[in-house]
Amino acid sequence: MESHEVAELFDQAVERLRLLIGSDGTDDGSDLLGHAASSGDVAVELAVGKLADPDRVVRAAACDLLGMVSDVHEGDVREEVATALVALAAQESDPAVHRSIARAGAATCDPRVLPVLLTLAGSPDTGVRLQVAVALPMVLIDDHPPEDGVAALIALCTDSDPEVREWATFALGWSTTADGDDVRRALWDRTRDVEPGVREEGAWGLARRRDARALPLVRELLAQDAVHRHTFQAAAYLADPSLLPLLNGFDPTAEGVAEALRECDPVRRAQRDESAWRLLTVVHQCRPDLRVAIFGERCDLGLYLDISDGSNISGHWFLDGLLTRAGNDADRAAELAIEDLRR
């Protein structure tokens, strides 16, 4: 796409966004910006140049374009985009632009954006705080997320706005692996929130950390007329047989139900563990030169198989998927894993 075409799309999007800001409309020109974002570096160059524009709508649209380019082109542009956003945030004071900075910053997945988001978390503008709650998990990408980022989410879980509380509780409990007394206390407090959606997020977050206090809460959610897929996942994390009578009332082909049934059934879990041990043993017998490990992630479901020769050959499989490929035959699953290594 030529630079003048990108500029035309951007100008049209700005006019749509201008009509939206301060009104109840929904057309923010994002379709036009999305089209412009496909041009990659051309769009980045234009948007970065617009960040110094005196018109706040232009600056906001420029941030939105940078975020969309980051979504489309990922590693090719994200470092440059994050650098530009951090520089803008240091001198920006308009809430509409702050919202766009937070939204675009999330798309970069760049930890350098975290200090910007921490500052914006204290904004008096509800929309800014909401975007920060949505954005923070995208830059807290480590297994041990920074304490100040986790603390910001915990604070947003108590926000005066229910939508901010709900997004922050989802971000803390479901989108990050942060754990500890402060995290669990924050999630537990939200299970007593006045808003049903916030209570659900608190229960799901506790369950993901396999906190037994979530059991009666998940049981209540499973008894409702409409059950969210995250409730089935929460049941799977808890792996409690007392949930089986409730789970048996659902279609086992529905998303998350089969997994919850398997995790809550001690017999089926024992069968999987036996298959895992058999698979590991067979791999070792066939290739004693290989390093073999079966493990589970702290805040994840299921087991994983890792095989390595200690140098440049390695493989990583989700155990249930590998066993399914092998028709639930552990010996055949071991053969498949070894064959995969040779490819």
Side-chain angles (χ1 to χ4, degrees):
M1 189 182 301
E2 298 294 331
S3 58
H4 72 275
E5 296 175 295
V6 175
E8 289 174 4
L9 289 169
F10 180 81
D11 289 342
Q12 293 172 33
V14 166
E15 292 314 308
R16 289 193 190 178
L17 184 59
R18 195 182 306 283
L19 293 173
L20 174 65
I21 293 177
S23 73
D24 295 326
T26 58
D27 185 358
D28 58 0
S30 58
D31 57 330
L32 297 171
L33 293 178
H35 187 31
S38 64
S39 65
D41 290 338
V42 175
V44 172
E45 182 179 1
L46 179 140
V48 170
K50 298 289 187 180
L51 294 179
D53 196 283
D55 187 336
R56 67 169 187 152
V57 180
V58 173
R59 298 196 303 277
C63 292
D64 290 339
L65 178 54
L66 288 172
M68 291 182 183
V69 179
S70 296
D71 272 336
V72 174
H73 297 277
E74 298 185 358
D76 294 338
V77 300
R78 285 181 172 177
E79 183 176 353
E80 181 180 357
V81 169
T83 299
L85 291 172
V86 170
L88 172 64
Q91 56 190 17
E92 183 59 62
S93 60
D94 188 273
V97 185
H98 283 161
R99 292 193 289 272
S100 292
I101 289 174
R103 190 161 47 239
T108 69
C109 299
D110 192 320
R112 291 179 301 153
V113 178
L114 177 57
V116 172
L117 296 178
L118 295 181
T119 299
L120 296 180
S123 171
D125 185 89
T126 300
V128 174
R129 299 196 307 277
L130 176 61
Q131 288 301 325
V132 170
V134 175
L136 274 170
M138 302 302 293
V139 300
L140 300 178
I141 54 179
D142 296 329
D143 289 336
H144 301 286
E147 291 183 5
D148 49 1
V150 175
L153 280 176
I154 290 175
L156 288 169
C157 285
T158 63
D159 196 90
S160 59
D161 183 84
E163 189 175 9
V164 175
R165 292 201 305 278
E166 185 168 347
W167 271 103
T169 308
F170 169 76
L172 179 67
W174 206 253
S175 298
T176 75
T177 58
D179 203 357
D181 291 343
D182 289 347
V183 171
R184 296 193 183 206
R185 186 180 305 112
L187 293 171
W188 173 250
D189 287 345
R190 298 283 60 78
T191 65
R192 294 169 287 182
D193 199 279
V194 296
E195 295 292 330
V198 182
R199 292 199 298 271
E200 290 184 7
E201 295 294 353
W204 294 338
L206 281 176
R208 188 166 184 237
R209 286 149 186 81
R210 295 173 170 83
D211 190 311
R213 289 177 296 177
L215 183 59
L217 307 173
V218 171
R219 191 178 288 118
E220 290 176 11
L221 294 175
L222 286 172
Q224 293 181 355
D225 292 334
V227 179
H228 195 283
R229 61 186 176 86
H230 284 173
T231 298
F232 295 124
Q233 288 179 283
Y237 279 116
L238 291 171
D240 194 294
S242 70
L243 297 176
L244 282 174
L246 286 168
L247 291 168
N248 283 327
F250 294 95
D251 178 0
T253 64
E255 185 177 7
V257 175
E259 186 175 47
L261 285 167
R262 180 186 64 242
E263 295 297 326
C264 290
D265 188 333
V267 174
R268 295 176 66 180
R269 285 206 314 277
Q271 290 172 342
R272 182 194 53 201
D273 293 347
E274 183 178 350
S275 294
W277 178 249
R278 175 63 186 172
L279 190 161
L280 185 149
T281 301
V282 172
V283 171
H284 180 67
Q285 289 173 344
C286 294
R287 291 286 305 274
D289 58 306
L290 296 175
R291 299 175 181 176
V292 190
I294 289 178
F295 63 94
E297 297 286 356
R298 183 169 59 89
C299 283
D300 208 349
L301 292 169
L303 297 174
Y304 295 88
L305 169 69
D306 258 11
I307 302 178
S308 170
D309 69 350
S311 58
N312 60 344
I313 299 177
S314 63
H316 181 75
W317 297 263
F318 180 54
L319 186 63
D320 287 332
L322 183 59
L323 287 169
T324 298
R325 279 176 60 196
N328 290 317
D329 182 331
D331 290 40
R332 177 56 182 155
E335 294 174 2
L336 288 173
I338 293 172
E339 290 173 6
D340 288 346
L341 282 178
R342 294 177 182 145
R343 294 174 185 167

